[in-house]
Amino acid sequence: MTVDAGLPLVERRTHGSPDRVPGAYFRAMATLYLRKVSERSRESLARDLSATLGETGIQYHLRTLKRQLSGSITSVPPEVEVAMSKLLLASNGLGMEADIEDALQAAGLVVAPEERLKPYVSREDFLWIVHLWLHFNPCRSVRSLACRLREDLGRDGIRINVESLQHILAGKRALVRREIRDRVLDYLRELGIVGEEKARTISSQLADKIHVSVEGRRFENAERFLKLCRFWQRRHHQASTRKLAIVLREELSKQGLFMAIHHLQELVLGKIRRVRRSILAVMEKIVREETLSAAELEQEFEKISSDLRGQADLRWVLAEPIAAMARQWIERNPGTTRRQLALRLAKIVRRMGFSMSHNTIQPVAGGWKKKTRGFLYRAMLKLLGRYSARIPEEHLVKARWELEAQSDDRMENPRQSILDRRAPILKPSPRWTKPNLSHYLNEAGRCLADSPRPERLLDFIAWRIERFYRISRAKATDLLKAAMCGRLREGDDDLDAESRESTESSAERDGILGDSEEPAA
C-alpha cells in the first residue's frame, strides 16, 4: 500500500491510522454486495475497493484486498471497511449505516457484537490506563507490571516476553492487543475502580497528579544528584553514604515511595548513572532546607569540585600508611600508647567537623584494618605537623565499579597504552588491534614493575591474555612474571606463533569468544 505523491501534503497518508478492526463485518458486507450484484466477482470487487481508496489518496495493493476478502487476513484498516460500506450503499440504494445492518440481518449475515471488537487498540487508548495504575502503585515499577502481565497472559495461552511488554507499557508500540488492555483494567478492579467509565472519570479528575507521578518516574542523568549528595555530605560532615540514604528514604516515604536502603546507597555512591526525577526532586528539597539560593548553591558546587582535599576526606583510603605513620609518631614520643594516640586523633577529627570514636581509630593505628576514611588520614598528617600535605592518589581506594567505569571511558580514546584498552569479549571495537603477544607481555611487565601493588594487577592481565591469546591462566602468569624480570625479548617469534595457533584452534572450536566473569582489577 503506497501513497500518491502528487496529492497535497495533508492527503499523503497510508490508510489514515495504524488502527485495525475485525474483518468479519467487512466480509459480511462484501458477501451481501456480491449477492446483490451477481455479475461482479471477488476480484472485480477488490478493484472497485482499490479505486474507491485511491480517491482518498490511498493506493492499496490489489492482492492485499483479495486476501482480506477471502479471510486470509483477519483484520482490516478502518478505511477499507468505510470504502466497502460506500460501495454497498451505492449499489443497493441504501441511505445510512443502519440500513446496512437491517439488510445484513435480512440476508442472514448477522455479525455478533464480540466479533466486531477490535483485536488491537491504539497506544493512546491504552496508556492512560497504565498511568492510572502506576499512580495508585507508586512503589511498583513498569517491569513488575510487565512480569505480572506475562504470567497472567501465559495462563490464557498468550506468550509475550517481559521486554516486549515493557516496550508496550512505555508506549513504544503504536498498537496494543486488547487482551493486555483488558487485563490492566482488571488490575484496576483490585483497587476499587470497577469498569472503564469509572476509570476514565477518576483519570480525568486526577489528571494533574497522574502527570506529576508519571514524570517523576522518568530518568535523568545522575550528575546533578551526585553534586547535591556531595554538598550534603560536606555540609553535615558525613562520610558515610548510609546516613544520607536513610534521610532520603524517610523523605520518600512521606510521599508514598518506599525504596530499599541498599538501592539508595548505590545511588548516593554514584554506581547508577541515571536517577528518577522524583528522587532528584526529593534531594533538591533536602538541600533547599539549608536556605541556599540557586546562585549560592552553584557556587558551592564549584567549591566542592575544586576542593580536592575535601573530596578525599569522604573517600576510602588504605589503612596501612596510617599504621606506618602511627608507628613513626609512637617512636618519636616514647612512653605513649596506641590508645593515647587514638584519643588525640579523635580530638583532631572532631575539630575537623567529623565524628569517629577512639575505639574505631585504635585498630586502624595498630594495622588491623585494611581501609578507613580519608579524614582520619588527614588527621594523622596534622598530628605529624604536615598540615598542607595531601593524601597520595595511590593511597585512595577505588571500588571495582569505579575501575570498570574508568576502563569503559578509556576505551573511547584510541591513543593510549595497550594495557589501558578495555578489549571487548564478543564484539571487538574496529579501532582496537590485538598486538603481538611478546610486545603485549613486555609492556605488561613494565606496567607490573612500576605498579605499587603488582599482585592485584597480575591476575587481571593474566585473565586478559587467556581470553585474547587462548593461553592457560597458569602459563600466562608465568610469562608475566618473566616479563617483570625482563627475561622476554621484544618480538619473540615463538611466542607469537604459539599464540596464533592457539587462537585459530580455539576459534575453530568455539566459533566466537565466550563470556566469562572478569576478575577485579
Side-chain angles (χ1 to χ4, degrees):
M1 183 173 60
T2 60
V3 180
D4 189 357
L7 291 171
L9 183 61
V10 178
E11 300 181 10
R12 291 179 189 174
R13 53 193 178 90
T14 54
H15 51 73
S17 68
D19 200 2
R20 290 290 187 277
V21 296
Y25 186 64
F26 164 75
R27 284 186 286 275
M29 288 191 294
T31 303
L32 181 60
Y33 177 84
L34 293 174
R35 286 181 184 178
K36 297 293 183 181
V37 187
S38 57
E39 68 274 7
R40 308 292 290 177
S41 64
R42 184 182 294 174
E43 183 167 354
S44 63
L45 174 57
R47 293 184 186 277
D48 293 342
L49 283 172
S50 179
T52 305
L53 290 169
E55 294 174 1
T56 62
I58 301 173
Q59 295 181 356
Y60 213 90
H61 202 282
L62 186 62
R63 185 173 57 187
T64 304
L65 286 168
K66 291 167 65 177
R67 294 178 66 197
Q68 289 170 343
L69 287 168
S70 65
S72 299
I73 300 177
T74 58
S75 61
V76 297
E79 288 77 11
V80 175
E81 187 178 276
V82 171
M84 186 66 245
S85 64
K86 287 181 180 180
L87 288 177
L88 187 58
L89 290 171
S91 63
N92 289 343
L94 303 176
M96 59 185 65
E97 188 73 21
D99 296 337
I100 297 179
E101 296 282 352
D102 296 338
L104 288 174
Q105 189 171 5
L109 300 172
V110 181
V111 180
E114 57 271 13
E115 294 182 4
R116 298 188 64 177
L117 288 176
K118 297 180 180 179
Y120 293 90
V121 297
S122 64
R123 170 175 47 199
E124 293 74 15
D125 192 28
F126 171 70
L127 284 181
W128 69 270
I129 305 174
V130 177
H131 294 166
L132 183 62
W133 187 89
L134 291 173
H135 174 70
F136 286 105
N137 295 272
C139 298
R140 300 291 296 275
S141 64
V142 175
R143 186 170 182 84
S144 67
L145 177 58
C147 293
R148 184 180 178 185
L149 278 171
R150 182 192 61 177
E151 294 177 0
D152 293 343
L153 292 172
R155 297 189 189 101
D156 298 336
I158 302 173
R159 306 293 180 184
I160 307 178
N161 58 37
V162 176
E163 287 71 20
S164 298
L165 286 170
Q166 276 191 275
H167 289 166
I168 293 171
L169 295 172
K172 296 181 179 179
R173 301 286 175 84
L175 297 176
V176 182
R177 293 185 65 160
R178 177 170 290 277
E179 294 87 348
I180 300 176
R181 183 180 186 273
D182 294 341
R183 184 65 65 175
V184 181
L185 279 173
D186 291 340
Y187 297 161
L188 289 177
R189 191 183 297 271
E190 300 172 359
L191 303 173
I193 305 174
V194 181
E196 184 176 345
E197 293 298 328
K198 187 177 180 180
R200 285 188 182 276
T201 304
I202 296 175
S203 179
S204 60
Q205 292 174 352
L206 303 177
D208 295 336
K209 293 183 179 180
I210 292 174
H211 176 73
V212 171
S213 65
V214 170
E215 289 296 320
R217 288 177 176 270
R218 301 190 186 279
F219 288 92
E220 287 188 358
N221 192 292
E223 182 179 359
R224 180 167 180 80
F225 176 78
L226 293 177
K227 287 182 179 180
L228 293 168
C229 293
R230 300 300 169 261
F231 168 78
W232 189 92
Q233 288 180 282
R234 293 286 300 277
R235 190 88 168 184
H236 294 268
H237 295 90
Q238 290 288 346
S240 173
T241 58
R242 190 172 184 82
K243 299 287 181 65
L244 178 55
I246 292 172
V247 174
L248 266 174
R249 185 177 62 174
E250 292 176 354
E251 291 295 328
L252 288 169
S253 63
K254 295 178 182 178
Q255 300 183 8
L257 297 173
F258 301 93
M259 303 190 72
I261 192 71
H262 70 274
H263 178 70
L264 293 173
Q265 275 189 274
E266 290 180 349
L267 285 174
V268 175
L269 279 170
K271 290 183 178 181
I272 303 175
R273 298 184 180 183
R274 296 195 307 162
V275 63
R276 274 189 181 188
R277 288 182 181 176
S278 57
I279 301 177
L280 179 60
V282 170
M283 193 65 224
E284 291 268 8
K285 179 184 175 183
I286 293 173
V287 172
R288 292 299 181 188
E289 293 177 356
E290 305 289 340
T291 65
L292 286 175
S293 64
E296 291 175 341
L297 190 59
E298 293 298 329
Q299 292 177 1
E300 290 292 333
F301 287 161
E302 293 179 2
K303 289 180 182 179
I304 291 174
S305 61
S306 60
D307 187 7
L308 300 179
R309 184 180 300 175
Q311 294 179 20
D313 286 345
L314 305 177
R315 296 281 301 273
W316 287 105
V317 297
L318 295 175
E320 184 181 353
I322 299 177
M325 288 187 286
R327 290 191 295 268
Q328 181 183 356
W329 186 86
I330 292 175
E331 290 174 359
R332 291 182 183 179
N333 300 272
T336 57
T337 62
R338 290 196 185 96
R339 185 77 172 176
Q340 294 172 337
L341 171 62
L343 290 169
R344 293 196 181 193
L345 285 174
K347 290 180 181 179
I348 298 175
V349 166
R350 283 194 294 271
R351 287 199 295 267
M352 293 169 62
F354 296 94
S355 176
M356 183 177 281
S357 170
H358 59 277
N359 292 323
T360 306
I361 296 175
Q362 189 170 351
V364 177
W368 297 310
K369 297 292 182 181
K370 292 184 178 181
K371 63 180 182 179
T372 185
R373 292 293 180 180
F375 60 80
L376 181 58
Y377 194 114
R378 202 152 63 87
M380 191 70 236
L381 291 174
K382 287 187 175 183
L383 186 61
L384 293 175
R386 299 161 60 184
Y387 296 97
S388 60
R390 293 182 178 178
I391 301 176
E393 185 70 24
E394 59 270 16
H395 291 171
L396 296 174
V397 176
K398 289 187 177 181
R400 179 175 179 177
W401 63 269
E402 291 179 307
L403 293 172
E404 291 176 353
Q406 187 177 5
S407 289
D408 290 338
D409 294 338
R410 287 178 178 177
M411 182 64 189
E412 299 176 0
N413 183 13
R415 294 185 178 182
Q416 48 189 288
S417 170
I418 296 172
L419 292 174
D420 288 340
R421 296 181 184 178
R422 185 176 178 81
I425 295 177
L426 288 174
K427 296 181 180 179
S429 170
R431 295 177 295 184
W432 188 82
T433 303
K434 184 170 71 174
N436 293 331
L437 178 59
S438 59
H439 178 60
Y440 191 96
L441 286 170
N442 278 287
E443 189 169 349
R446 288 191 293 269
C447 181
L448 289 169
D450 297 337
S451 174
R453 290 173 290 170
E455 66 281 353
R456 299 185 63 182
L457 191 59
L458 181 64
D459 187 50
F460 177 70
I461 300 178
W463 172 85
R464 300 182 75 177
I465 292 175
E466 179 187 19
R467 296 303 303 156
F468 294 115
Y469 296 96
R470 297 295 184 176
I471 295 176
S472 66
R473 184 78 64 90
K475 184 172 183 179
T477 304
D478 294 340
L479 291 172
L480 286 170
K481 290 179 180 179
M484 288 178 63
C485 301
R487 293 198 298 267
L488 289 177
R489 301 189 307 276
E490 186 78 20
D492 196 323
D493 294 336
D494 295 336
L495 280 175
D496 295 335
E498 182 180 354
S499 68
R500 283 194 298 270
E501 291 175 0
S502 60
T503 302
E504 291 172 359
S505 61
S506 300
E508 292 175 358
R509 183 179 66 253
D510 299 337
I512 58 172
L513 296 179
D515 293 328
S516 68
E517 184 180 357
E518 179 177 333

